[in-house]
Amino acid sequence: LWELQGEREPIFEEKDEHGHKVQVFKGWKQNKPGTMTPLEYDQAVGDLVGYMQWMAEPAQNTRVRIGVWVLIFLSFFTFIAWRLNAAFWKDIK
């Protein structure tokens, strides 16, 4: 991917923290341009990451869809159990 992005060099700034000098990352300096513009490169990497995430777990959409229905089912029957408990205990109070 470095050919698409180009060669970059990190820029650091030195700070004093707790009596020690620490280098803090500030950004990148573009040394040589790549074959893509920064916007094209960011879009291509975003597409690649999205594809790799889907390939890691292709059933995620189905799992999430079923999970929503399971939560709706559990909340509905929790309400029914709560009302049934109130009906059973109304004579005891």
Side-chain angles (χ1 to χ4, degrees):
L1 294 176
W2 66 271
E3 291 175 336
L4 302 176
Q5 184 181 27
E7 290 183 22
R8 300 191 321 171
E9 179 181 329
I11 300 172
F12 295 102
E13 177 181 280
E14 285 193 3
K15 289 177 122 180
D16 282 332
E17 288 187 9
H18 307 291
H20 297 286
K21 290 194 184 259
V22 177
Q23 289 187 342
V24 178
F25 177 74
K26 294 299 282 182
W28 295 97
K29 176 184 164 194
Q30 190 78 29
N31 290 339
K32 293 182 184 175
T35 58
M36 292 183 161
T37 66
L39 181 61
E40 289 174 338
Y41 178 77
D42 289 343
Q43 288 174 344
V45 169
D47 291 343
L48 178 64
V49 168
Y51 174 72
M52 290 175 68
Q53 182 180 0
W54 177 78
M55 283 300 292
E57 188 178 0
Q60 180 182 13
N61 292 337
T62 305
R63 182 174 48 83
V64 169
R65 188 175 57 243
I66 291 172
V68 169
W69 284 108
V70 166
L71 289 175
I72 291 170
F73 174 81
L74 289 174
S75 62
F76 175 71
F77 278 101
T78 299
F79 176 75
I80 289 176
W82 174 59
R83 295 307 308 154
L84 187 60
N85 185 35
F88 284 156
W89 283 90
K90 72 178 178 180
D91 294 334
I92 296 174
K93 290 183 179 181

